[in-house]
């Protein structure tokens, strides 16, 4: 998702206990930001898919007069909007799914509570514009190493504190001394990482850094919006077929096969809803930010490492620009090779669902951790803000799933 990489061990976890009532946070700055960009009261009802009205930067401005390209909501505000839209309370399963953060928001929009991740059979992209990230790669990798060392230092201090609480523990106890050595080692590693990062960034002219960041942002927005246009075109064709109320899945498949454009797509009928009839279904657009530099773990001889009968996966600091490219005829992306691995020191993915009536994207900062000082927040973003992404990711794909409206 988008923030707080230091708590990566909590980011994909799901709280065992569902919280009740609104968050109470001691972070005054966070509370003020939420108040400034809080939702406006126009909420959809019934079958209306709109959660809030269109987020138009020309119309919406913050207290400093700057265009608002993103609103922030508490999880409970999002629940209120969702319940108002569907006309009932969220079930325990739905709340549990929501607590998964960005994944949960997208799965809920697709009406899928029990699945691990959104479907990946109908994903679309745009041929990438010339890459401008190479100038930034070393510096961002150095920053990631700082974050990794910080996380290890936090863990080392936690283990030292636990050792000191042990029965009969003193500062001279072997376990305490060993944990203390580990703390000192992490402190040393962090100092080294900071020094290395300073050196890397000092070797790059400031103007070159600025130009590279600007070019990368512009390329990401362009590519993302083009991918969205491709997905919307196919979604409109699916919607036309579904509005004709096909009697069953076989009839839906027949109409897809007879469509000149849809018939060229692969695996269209994979991951269809298991409830309702096709007449009750609707195409839903969502997106995923991910890192292309994923591969099998290999030994020094280049052979794939097998553990417990399974291939092992890893992510590298180097992107693989030839991976996840769209097919030239259809724009469809083969997602083989996405092992959901993160670039070292960064996040592994970020999902969002597209709200067509407001032309905005909905995602979360992280999953529910149960920590009132790190509340789960929900973001509504314009396409420009969403596709800008972050250094965590170098690839964006836009997908289509099918939801059962009858539920």
């Amino acid at each position: 998702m988008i923030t707080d990489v230091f708590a990566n061990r909590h980011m994909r976890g799901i709280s065992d206990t569902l919280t009740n009532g609104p968050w109470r946070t001691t972070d005054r700055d966070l509370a003020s930001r939420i108040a400034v960009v809080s939702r406006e009261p126009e909420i959809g009802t019934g079958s209306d898919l709109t959660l809030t009205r269109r987020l138009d930067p020309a119309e919406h401005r913050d207290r400093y007069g700057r265009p608002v390209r993103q609103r922030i909501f508490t999880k409970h505000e999002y629940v209120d909007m969702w319940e108002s839209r569907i006309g009932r309370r969220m079930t325990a399963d739905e709340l549990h799914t929501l607590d998964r953060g960005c994944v949960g928001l997208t799965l809920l929009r697709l009406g899928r509570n029990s699945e691990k991740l959104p479907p990946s059979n109908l994903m679309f992209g745009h041929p990438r514009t010339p890459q401008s990230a190479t100038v930034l790669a070393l510096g961002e990798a150095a920053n990631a190493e700082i974050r990794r060392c910080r996380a290890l230092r936090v863990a080392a201090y936690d283990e030292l504190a636990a050792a000191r609480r042990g029965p009969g523990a003193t500062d001279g106890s072997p376990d305490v001394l060993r944990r203390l050595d580990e703390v000192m080692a992490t402190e040393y590693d962090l100092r080294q990482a900071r020094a290395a990062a300073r050196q890397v960034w000092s070797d790059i002219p400031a103007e070159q850094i600025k130009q590279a960041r600007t070019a990368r942002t512009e390329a990401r927005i362009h590519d993302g919006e083009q991918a969205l246009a491709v997905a919307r075109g196919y979604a409109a064709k699916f919607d036309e077929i579904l509005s004709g109320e096909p009697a069953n899945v076989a009839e839906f498949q027949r109409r897809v096969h007879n469509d000149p454009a849809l018939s060229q797509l692969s695996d269209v009928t994979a991951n269809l809803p298991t409830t309702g009839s096709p007449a009750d279904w609707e195409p839903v657009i969502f997106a995923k930010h991910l890192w292309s530099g994923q591969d099998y773990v290999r030994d020094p001889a280049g052979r794939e490492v097998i553990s417990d009968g399974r291939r092992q996966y890893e992510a590298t600091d180097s992107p693989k620009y030839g991976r996840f490219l769209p097919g030239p005829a259809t724009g469809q992306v083969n997602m083989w090779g996405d092992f959901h691995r993160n670039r070292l020191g960064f996040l592994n993915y970020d999902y969002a669902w597209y709200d067509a009536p407001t032309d905005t994207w909905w995602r979360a900062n992280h999953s529910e951790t149960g920590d009132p000082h790190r509340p789960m927040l929900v973001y509504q973003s314009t396409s420009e803000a969403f596709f800008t992404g972050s250094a965590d990711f170098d690839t964006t794909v836009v997908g289509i799933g099918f939801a059962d409206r009858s539920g």
Side-chain angles (χ1 to χ4, degrees):
M1 296 145 189
I2 48 181
T3 57
D4 212 351
V5 292
F6 304 148
N8 208 25
R9 57 185 167 175
H10 299 302
M11 282 208 162
R12 307 301 170 194
I14 302 173
S15 175
D16 292 329
T17 305
L18 295 176
T19 57
N20 296 305
W23 279 108
R24 295 291 183 264
T25 176
T26 59
D27 187 337
R28 294 181 180 179
D29 179 63
L30 174 63
S32 65
R33 285 192 295 111
I34 293 174
V36 169
V37 296
S38 184
R39 61 184 169 88
E40 299 186 17
E42 297 184 19
I43 300 173
T45 57
S47 61
D48 183 5
L49 299 181
T50 308
L51 288 183
T52 66
R53 68 189 178 97
R54 183 183 181 91
L55 174 54
D56 185 353
E59 180 181 349
H60 296 84
R61 295 185 178 273
D62 64 16
R63 57 177 147 179
Y64 304 108
R66 298 172 301 194
V68 173
R69 294 182 172 85
Q70 180 170 269
R71 290 196 187 103
I72 305 174
F73 302 84
T74 66
K75 183 182 75 173
H76 294 283
E77 284 180 310
Y78 186 79
V79 170
D80 287 344
M81 288 187 287
W82 188 268
E83 291 180 341
S84 177
R85 183 182 72 82
I86 63 179
R88 62 168 175 78
R89 300 293 298 273
M90 274 192 179
T91 66
D93 284 345
E94 288 170 335
L95 288 168
H96 193 66
T97 299
L98 178 64
D99 276 354
R100 295 180 62 191
C102 69
V103 173
L105 263 68
T106 299
L107 286 175
L108 279 179
R109 179 63 188 90
L110 291 165
R112 301 162 186 251
N113 295 331
S114 60
E115 298 184 25
K116 292 183 178 180
L117 292 171
S120 60
N121 55 305
L122 289 174
M123 309 300 284
F124 303 93
H126 179 73
R128 296 177 189 171
T129 51
Q131 298 298 320
S132 306
T134 52
V135 171
L136 308 172
L138 288 177
E140 290 173 345
N143 291 347
E145 177 63 12
I146 291 175
R147 289 194 289 272
R148 187 186 72 85
C149 289
R150 282 175 174 167
L152 291 175
R153 183 182 63 171
V154 169
Y157 273 105
D158 287 346
E159 291 169 354
L160 174 61
R164 283 174 167 164
R165 291 193 297 268
T170 67
D171 285 346
S173 301
D175 190 40
V176 172
L177 291 174
R178 180 169 62 86
R179 299 296 183 184
L180 185 59
D181 286 342
E182 292 174 355
V183 165
M184 299 303 293
T186 60
E187 291 283 7
Y188 174 79
D189 290 343
L190 180 57
R191 288 196 300 271
Q192 293 294 100
R194 285 171 170 164
R198 285 194 295 270
Q199 183 62 50
V200 168
W201 286 113
S202 66
D203 290 341
I204 308 174
E207 186 62 27
Q208 191 175 4
I209 294 174
K210 180 180 179 180
Q211 291 174 353
R213 285 176 173 162
T214 300
R216 180 172 67 180
T217 296
E218 290 175 350
R220 285 177 170 178
I221 294 172
H222 173 268
D223 292 358
E225 290 181 340
Q226 293 299 311
L228 173 60
V230 172
R232 292 189 73 168
Y234 285 122
K237 291 180 177 297
F238 282 124
D239 192 54
E240 183 178 357
I241 289 176
L242 295 171
S243 64
E245 300 185 351
N248 48 45
V249 174
E251 176 65 14
F252 171 72
Q253 292 175 317
R254 187 187 66 79
R255 296 186 186 186
V256 167
H257 179 74
N258 290 337
D259 184 277
L262 297 181
S263 62
Q264 297 184 57
L265 300 178
S266 302
D267 300 324
V268 170
T269 56
N271 299 303
L272 293 175
T274 58
T275 59
S277 70
D280 299 319
W281 299 346
E282 62 175 332
V284 174
I285 294 176
F286 63 97
K288 182 179 185 179
H289 291 317
L290 67 150
W291 176 245
S292 67
Q294 305 178 53
D295 206 345
Y296 295 116
V297 177
R298 300 178 186 275
D299 63 20
R303 294 170 300 207
E304 296 173 4
V305 174
I306 306 296
S307 179
D308 295 329
R310 295 182 178 180
R311 292 169 170 167
Q312 303 300 297
Y313 312 117
E314 65 179 352
T316 64
D317 284 333
S318 301
K320 294 184 180 296
Y321 289 127
R323 185 167 288 179
F324 310 122
L325 291 180
T330 64
Q332 189 172 12
V333 178
N334 185 339
M335 295 304 292
W336 181 92
D338 179 16
F339 308 124
H340 317 297
R341 295 298 188 269
N342 57 294
R343 183 182 181 186
L344 184 63
F346 292 88
L347 303 179
N348 49 358
Y349 49 71
D350 183 23
Y351 281 94
W353 66 271
Y354 180 64
D355 190 16
T358 62
D359 192 28
T360 55
W361 296 86
W362 293 87
R363 70 198 195 279
N365 59 340
H366 54 69
S367 61
E368 179 60 83
T369 66
D371 182 352
H373 301 292
R374 293 184 57 252
M376 173 181 160
L377 299 174
V378 176
Y379 293 76
Q380 180 194 23
S381 307
T382 62
S383 286
E384 178 181 349
F386 174 68
F387 288 129
T388 295
S390 68
D392 301 67
F393 318 110
D394 69 335
T395 300
T396 298
V397 288
V398 180
I400 299 175
F402 296 94
D404 176 11
R405 286 179 293 201
S406 66

